[in-house]
DNA sequence: CTGAAAGCGCTAACAG
DNA sequence: CTGTTAGCGCTTTCAG
């Protein structure tokens, strides 16, 4: 529909279309008055540059691909928002794909984006398998992961300092007088979870507590998983006064179970989450939690990606951002 | 990086590159064995078709643009997820932009997407002004709005039947014995809100109740707006036993205020929301609400857009989907 | 059935 | 300063 091209403008202006191109690209090799005249004409004729044609010759699209498990997930949608806004400010558009928590699909959409000639890809991997599974693909295009902070990860990534987060959470509960603190919902196959667990264990060691961990057999750290796991746990004696939960969703599931078992939060049980998803701040939930600075992570990911696009041969790098404890209403002081 | 092209394959295969193209496009004008041989070779050489080049000659990108106020909004992120998944199944990729609740930006990103040569655009407009503001742009590309159900809207759109929703909510509260039902949080400038209000008023009329409306002076139907408005309201006597809230976010704000005023939900006040955002289902919130069938709306929007892409000269059409009442725990029966 | 060639809209040498 | 020209990788007539 947008049918007016450079050539059309050139014809009307009575110049070659290279000249029009120069006027638009802000090249210095053109007369000031000619440029003005042409720019005005473009405006009048309703000319819109064709980004596809430009990409063709420039061999870059100024498009970033984003792959997330599900955009419909508070943590990911917040990240996506910030990535889109910042990327656009940097002159890039976002092409978004859901991997739907499926490693095969993740590979499929990655290839799709490659075919689209995206300049780079930001990826929130489905799981640890993703690294291996995508190895041959990530080699073909600049890629930044938002995920785990593993020293030896052979990829460029940005991550929150998971250890530091749970360490702070544990310390905080200790300072409130808690001595029987459970680590709730660890998934043993997740590196993120392993790191979070380590932070807790380190804190316990330092504070002279014996760490106790309730592992989760569920594949995802969903609310349902938290609910089921907690229900089971609450069937027994409530031996702990506080829990460090591996994620906010899990913590919300615990709240549900607690409600059904007649355990008040925080009076009967103190809870700290991880992520600070937007849910956590809702008044009826009001969960004390570890915040991942999403905007900062988003911007860092874009910066790193653009850097890698500019210098494709640079070695992998990573950024670890510090989390912070957000105090809300799910913890209370205890004195024994 | 992905440097192997049709030509490269052709050279190795010892055929012209037109032949390779035909093999890939599934053309019938090619020998079965040649095709097989070439396809195998493509595989071996790691050839990936260049979608940009194809777009260039095909004059279509198979890209859909999506403009939403903020991806980070539970309602929109759910829609986005479904749109992306369904569009991809139909052979399209999604380019997403935030309009950040800003009409100017909305126009800007629309133009940007036009320049990207997207085949069509799905838009969740910032507000009613959007229709006028974007008129000259929507004329240039197939566009589907997800928004208001106005009979006379000069655009193709999909919407939920807002009237029916609030009508059902009011009827339901009535059936529970409520006779003093407040309509909470109407924004007079929003068409959606006007329609929702109408549904409530119609129900009142039919049930012999006198409608009472608390208008919201706030620009957005956020939680904060609900909280403030409700706080003010609760300063006075609580003259109503139930509220139909113009949105879930508003209802959650009311919950917060109610909590602070020591009013129990649902014992002291029954609440119905609108939208059924994912928050609403969280156990601590457990809000009875009117569900907008997001997946259905998403698929309808994509279908309508593709239809319009195929037949650009078709007149505008619209789809109104029925909402449904989701019963949860924020309403109770009263007998006077 | 296959090859040759034109051209999509634009940028970037290279000449003038 | 401006015009000419050669592609970018692919699809699609049009000839063989």
């Amino acid at each position: 529909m947008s049918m007016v091209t450079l050539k059309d403008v050139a014809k009307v202006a009575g110049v070659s279309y290279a000249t029009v191109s120069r006027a638009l690209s802000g090249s210095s090799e053109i007369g000031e008055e000619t440029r003005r005249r042409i720019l005005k004409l473009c405006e009048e004729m309703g000319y819109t540059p064709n980004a596809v044609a430009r990409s063709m010759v420039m061999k870059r699209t100024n498009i970033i691909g984003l792959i997330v498990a599900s955009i419909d997930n508070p943590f990911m949608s917040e990240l996506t928002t910030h990535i889109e806004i910042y990327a656009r400010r940097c002159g890039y558009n976002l092409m978004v794909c859901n991997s739907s928590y499926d490693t095969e699909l993740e590979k499929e959409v990655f290839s799709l984006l490659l075919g689209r000639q995206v300049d780079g890809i930001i990826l929130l991997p489905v799981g640890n398998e993703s690294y291996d599974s995508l190895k041959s693909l990530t080699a073909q295009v600049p890629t930044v992961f938002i995920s785990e902070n593993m020293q030896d990860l052979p990829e460029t990534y940005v991550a929150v300092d998971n250890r530091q987060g749970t360490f702070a959470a544990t310390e905080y509960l200790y300072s409130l007088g808690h001595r029987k603190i459970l680590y709730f919902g660890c998934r043993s196959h997740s590196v993120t979870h392993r790191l979070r667990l380590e932070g807790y264990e380190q804190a316990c060691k330092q504070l002279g507590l014996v760490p106790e961990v309730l592992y989760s057999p569920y594949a995802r750290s969903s609310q349902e998983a938290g609910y089921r796991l907690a229900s089971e746990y609450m069937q027994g004696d409530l031996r702990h006064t506080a829990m460090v939960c591996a994620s906010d969703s899990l913590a919300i599931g615990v709240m549900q179970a607690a409600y059904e078992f007649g355990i008040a939060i925080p009076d009967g049980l103190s809870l700290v989450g991880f992520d600070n998803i937007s849910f956590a701040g809702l008044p009826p939930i009001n969960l004390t939690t570890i915040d991942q600075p999403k905007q900062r992570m988003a911007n860092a990911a874009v910066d790193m990606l653009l850097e890698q696009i500019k210098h494709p041969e640079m070695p992998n790098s990573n950024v670890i951002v510090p989390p912070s404890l957000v105090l809300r209403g799910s913890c209370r002081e205890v004195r024994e």
Side-chain angles (χ1 to χ4, degrees), chain A:
Chain A
M1 309 212 180
S2 170
M3 303 269 63
V4 33
T5 78
L6 263 193
K7 248 177 188 157
D8 300 327
V9 178
K11 211 175 297 169
V12 176
V15 297
S16 79
Y17 61 96
T19 304
V20 181
S21 173
R22 281 193 273 256
L24 287 158
S25 67
S27 160
S28 57
E29 324 182 298
I30 189 175
E32 195 45 51
E33 54 181 328
T34 333
R35 145 170 302 137
R36 242 185 256 297
R37 191 166 60 86
I38 291 175
L39 254 35
K40 190 159 149 265
L41 195 58
C42 286
E43 182 81 5
E44 284 170 14
M45 298 180 64
Y47 167 72
T48 312
N50 183 324
V52 174
R54 172 177 288 161
S55 298
M56 180 96 239
V57 29
M58 302 284 270
K59 288 174 163 312
R60 35 174 273 198
T61 51
N62 276 41
I63 295 176
I64 291 176
L66 175 66
I67 304 175
V68 299
S70 181
I71 303 161
D72 169 17
N73 162 305
F75 180 68
M76 299 182 194
S77 73
E78 281 181 61
L79 270 174
T80 304
T81 303
H82 292 130
I83 290 173
E84 195 278 323
I85 289 173
Y86 187 62
R88 180 147 39 82
R89 264 184 42 202
C90 300
Y92 285 75
N93 280 112
L94 244 208
M95 199 168 265
V96 185
C97 292
N98 289 285
S99 64
S100 301
Y101 298 96
D102 175 339
T103 317
E104 279 314 304
L105 247 184
E106 189 175 49
K107 259 187 352 211
E108 212 173 298
V109 296
F110 198 113
S111 298
L112 234 152
L113 291 173
L114 274 181
R116 289 284 185 188
Q117 312 298 116
V118 299
D119 294 338
I121 289 181
I122 296 178
L123 185 68
L124 279 89
V126 167
N128 301 358
E129 330 80 70
S130 299
Y131 300 109
D132 276 349
S133 152
L134 296 173
K135 204 152 42 185
S136 64
L137 293 171
T138 55
Q140 298 182 53
V141 68
T143 307
V144 173
F145 285 74
I146 299 186
S147 56
E148 331 286 10
N149 45 340
M150 308 159 69
Q151 293 293 334
D152 51 345
L153 196 60
E155 299 287 354
T156 291
Y157 66 88
V158 38
V160 76
D161 191 331
N162 285 295
R163 278 199 206 88
Q164 188 184 320
T166 43
F167 189 97
T170 312
E171 239 182 354
Y172 170 66
L173 287 169
Y174 184 90
S175 78
L176 252 34
H178 294 277
R179 294 297 177 266
K180 298 191 161 299
I181 304 172
L182 177 69
Y183 187 84
F184 182 91
C186 185
R187 286 191 291 127
S188 43
H189 286 307
S190 156
V191 176
T192 301
H193 278 231
R194 207 194 62 212
L195 293 163
R196 291 183 184 178
L197 178 59
E198 282 179 22
Y200 161 79
E201 289 175 333
Q202 247 172 272
C204 285
K205 196 168 171 190
Q206 192 160 317
L207 299 167
L209 304 179
V210 311
E212 290 185 74
V213 185
L214 185 55
Y215 284 89
S216 164
Y218 302 104
R220 274 190 242 166
S221 286
S222 62
Q223 218 186 106
E224 291 74 42
Y227 172 71
R228 290 198 201 158
L229 198 61
S231 298
E232 225 170 281
Y233 166 81
M234 289 173 183
Q235 232 108 56
D237 296 333
L238 198 57
R239 302 190 317 279
H240 305 90
T241 60
M243 292 183 182
V244 174
C245 299
S247 80
D248 284 353
S249 301
L250 246 23
I252 291 173
V254 175
M255 285 186 171
Q256 181 181 6
Y259 177 76
E260 291 181 7
F261 278 82
I263 300 168
I265 308 283
D267 295 335
L269 180 66
S270 290
L271 240 40
V272 182
F274 205 117
D275 288 343
N276 194 23
I277 59 179
S278 49
F279 288 178
L282 294 177
I285 292 179
N286 204 25
L287 179 69
T288 292
T289 188
I290 305 296
D291 176 61
Q292 299 206 42
K294 292 152 212 87
Q295 180 160 13
R296 198 168 149 196
M297 291 167 75
N299 294 2
V302 173
D303 282 335
M304 290 163 85
L305 188 61
L306 300 192
E307 197 54 38
Q308 208 182 146
I309 290 171
K310 245 193 283 178
H311 311 291
E313 297 315 337
M314 289 276 277
N316 292 319
S317 61
N318 55 72
V319 167
I320 312 282
V321 301
S324 59
L325 182 63
V326 179
L327 264 31
R328 284 196 276 251
S330 63
C331 298
R332 72 152 199 157
E333 202 158 352
V334 296
R335 292 295 166 213
E336 308 198 336

